[in-house]
Every structure is written in structure tokens, then in C-alpha cells.
Amino acid sequence: MEDFIINVKVLNGVFGHKFLENPVILNNKSIDDFKFTQEKILDSNEDTNLFLNVKDLTAKAIQTDEGIVVLKRSQVAISSRKFGYSSLRDKLITDKIISTNSLGELYFTKNCPFSSPSAAAAVILGYSVNGRNIWRNSEGKSLKEIENYNIK
């Protein structure tokens, strides 16, 4: 019976359904428990900490098995081009997940999961970009470099 359940979970994961999966928890804390700081993400494994620094924008995220979670207070570009994730960006703004602060800057009001690093980076920057090249760890290694290293 356990083998059957494992197979069902695998098949569901292939089709993008996570209803049999437990919520994402790292170090016995849920994603909402992570703190946003200038230096690092507290209570997190260094391998999961990701940073996006482009122009004057700073965003922080945690990599999970299900994708990437952009953390609350991450900055978002004010201007945006028409691109593949424009409708997602517009929906996040409409739903107040991305909002404007008193200085007129856009930022995330809560932690927001994305299925891919490229989707997260594109929503933040306002144009299409390869997120595997943009997101970096605290040592400056890109997500692509980290993934290639872990494959070996």
C-alpha cells in the first residue's frame, strides 16, 4: 500500500498536482516564518537562500522542491514591458500581493511562491529573463551554477 501511495504522489507531481504533499517546511518552520534581512534569510539553509540584485532592485527568495518563494518586502520594478508574465504580474498587483509603499516603490506584501525562478525574476524586473542566471546565492554563484554543481 505504501508503494502505491508513493507512485500516486510521483504521478501527481508529474502533472503538477501537490494535494498529497505536505506543505513546504524548512528546518521545522513554514515559509511564512522566514525573516527578511539585509544579510541573509534567517533560519534557512545557505543552499536555499537566493538573491536578485539588478540595478537598484533587491529581492530575496528561498528555493524549495516546488519552485521558488519570493520573500515579503522584496522590491519590484515600477515600469514593465509587455512580456510573457505580464498577466501574472498584473494579477499580483490587483490582488495586492505586490503593492506600492509611501515612496511610490513596488514591493511584495507577503511571501509569494513561483513555479520557476524565471517567472519570479520576470515579475520582479518587468521583462523576460532567465532566472537561473539572475538569482544568486550569498557567495555570488548563480542558480544555474549551483544546479550544475549539484548534478555532478
Side-chain angles (χ1 to χ4, degrees):
M1 188 55 111
E2 288 178 17
D3 289 338
F4 175 76
I5 292 174
I6 290 170
N7 290 334
V8 170
K9 283 183 178 182
V10 170
L11 287 173
N12 280 326
V14 168
F15 294 115
H17 301 290
K18 304 291 185 185
F19 66 88
L20 292 176
E21 300 293 328
N22 294 326
V24 175
I25 295 177
L26 299 170
N27 297 340
N28 297 323
K29 294 197 175 213
S30 71
I31 291 297
D32 290 331
D33 292 333
F34 286 95
K35 305 284 190 271
F36 186 96
T37 67
Q38 294 292 351
E39 297 291 320
K40 67 175 192 168
I41 302 163
L42 301 176
D43 300 324
S44 176
N45 180 328
E46 287 297 319
D47 293 338
T48 64
N49 295 343
L50 295 174
F51 305 89
L52 183 147
N53 293 307
V54 176
K55 299 180 184 177
D56 293 332
L57 294 176
T58 302
K60 294 177 178 46
I62 298 171
Q63 184 180 18
T64 71
D65 293 339
E66 297 173 5
I68 187 169
V69 179
V70 176
L71 297 182
K72 179 179 178 177
R73 291 191 289 264
S74 290
Q75 296 175 318
V76 179
I78 295 171
S79 62
S80 173
R81 301 179 197 155
K82 187 73 174 160
F83 65 106
Y85 293 104
S86 292
S87 59
L88 174 58
R89 180 184 162 106
D90 293 342
K91 180 171 177 13
L92 292 173
I93 291 170
T94 301
D95 293 345
K96 303 282 188 216
I97 294 170
I98 296 175
S99 188
T100 307
N101 65 15
S102 60
L103 301 173
E105 302 166 331
L106 290 175
Y107 69 99
F108 279 86
T109 59
K110 64 183 196 174
N111 298 338
C112 183
F114 289 89
S115 60
S116 76
S118 295
V123 166
I124 290 168
L125 297 174
Y127 54 87
S128 293
V129 65
N130 184 338
R132 294 179 68 229
N133 294 329
I134 297 292
W135 289 102
R136 299 189 173 274
N137 68 6
S138 59
E139 297 171 354
K141 291 183 182 177
S142 70
L143 186 54
K144 181 177 181 178
E145 293 171 325
I146 295 166
E147 289 172 349
N148 288 339
Y149 178 78
N150 289 336
I151 290 174
K152 295 178 182 178

